[in-house]
Amino acid sequence: MVFLLADMSWNVLISPDQLSSKGLLLRKSILVRLLEDIANRKASKEHGYYIAVNELKEISEGKVRELTGDVLFPVTFTCITLKPMKGEILVGSVEKILKHGVFLKSGPIENVFLSEKTMNDYKYIGGENPMFMKDHSKLEKDTVLRFKAMGFRWMEADRQFQLLATLAGDFLGPL
């Protein structure tokens, strides 16, 4: 996956009970709230998955909201993000096996689908522990494998990407 360093702007909302006249405590409250907001947001179509806040560049002057007393602080910072790219070689583990393909998880990406049509001669074997087999190689639950991303789609409702994968290519498959 491609790690990116993104310059970002965010509005951090601090409630009155978290405000302090001491600068360091206020800065800590803003930083903690920013980290919570980033963790809850998870990802964006533009930047990919948010991995870590790298540097807090500036905290602008806060604006008080009249009805609630909350203070809104515009913040600029750099964030390490991770965004999937078409054609990229990734490593993931098998989460679920179905007759028509396999669902994988790769890092923060929880929806990677590997269709049986792109598995190069692997055959489905059903039963209590379903798997795909090819010669002496098998894909079963928790198998770690290397795959290629054929394409991806952003799902706004889930705030995550869905990937379509293939095993067609050199050095792809179970590790």
Side-chain angles (χ1 to χ4, degrees):
M1 295 210 190
V2 177
F3 287 96
L4 304 168
L5 191 60
D7 288 322
M8 299 179 69
S9 297
W10 207 276
N11 290 321
V12 177
L13 194 62
I14 301 293
S15 63
D17 60 324
Q18 294 176 318
L19 293 173
S20 170
S21 60
K22 297 179 182 167
L24 286 178
L25 290 178
L26 179 59
R27 185 175 175 87
K28 179 183 174 188
S29 294
I30 292 170
L31 184 57
V32 167
R33 184 57 191 251
L34 175 64
L35 293 172
E36 288 172 356
D37 289 352
I38 290 286
N40 290 336
R41 183 126 188 244
K42 190 174 167 179
S44 73
K45 183 177 183 178
E46 179 186 357
H47 297 111
Y49 291 92
Y50 302 122
I51 303 300
V53 172
N54 191 43
E55 177 187 2
L56 190 57
K57 288 186 170 183
E58 181 184 4
I59 300 173
S60 299
E61 189 173 318
K63 296 174 183 82
V64 178
R65 291 199 163 169
E66 292 181 22
L67 296 175
T68 61
D70 294 342
V71 182
L72 190 69
F73 291 94
V75 176
T76 56
F77 60 98
T78 58
C79 185
I80 297 171
T81 63
L82 186 130
K83 189 171 183 181
M85 300 288 177
K86 184 177 178 180
E88 188 172 24
I89 306 298
L90 302 168
V91 174
S93 63
V94 175
E95 291 291 310
K96 189 175 184 181
I97 298 176
L98 304 170
K99 187 175 183 175
H100 58 278
V102 175
F103 282 98
L104 310 169
K105 183 175 190 236
S106 179
I109 304 173
E110 296 174 358
N111 289 318
V112 179
F113 183 68
L114 177 60
S115 172
E116 58 141 351
K117 294 174 183 170
T118 64
M119 283 197 228
N120 293 345
D121 302 327
Y122 278 90
K123 301 293 180 215
Y124 177 76
I125 299 172
E128 189 175 313
N129 295 319
M131 67 179 75
F132 280 89
M133 286 205 64
K134 170 183 154 183
D135 301 326
H136 299 290
S137 176
K138 62 182 174 180
L139 300 177
E140 57 189 347
K141 185 161 175 32
D142 298 325
T143 300
V144 176
L145 56 102
R146 186 177 298 122
F147 62 91
K148 183 177 182 179
M150 289 175 34
F152 64 92
R153 171 173 59 179
W154 171 249
M155 304 300 293
E156 185 65 43
D158 299 330
R159 302 211 57 75
Q160 64 182 348
F161 290 93
Q162 289 183 335
L163 257 68
L164 189 58
T166 183
L167 294 183
D170 295 334
F171 309 109
L172 301 179
L175 300 177

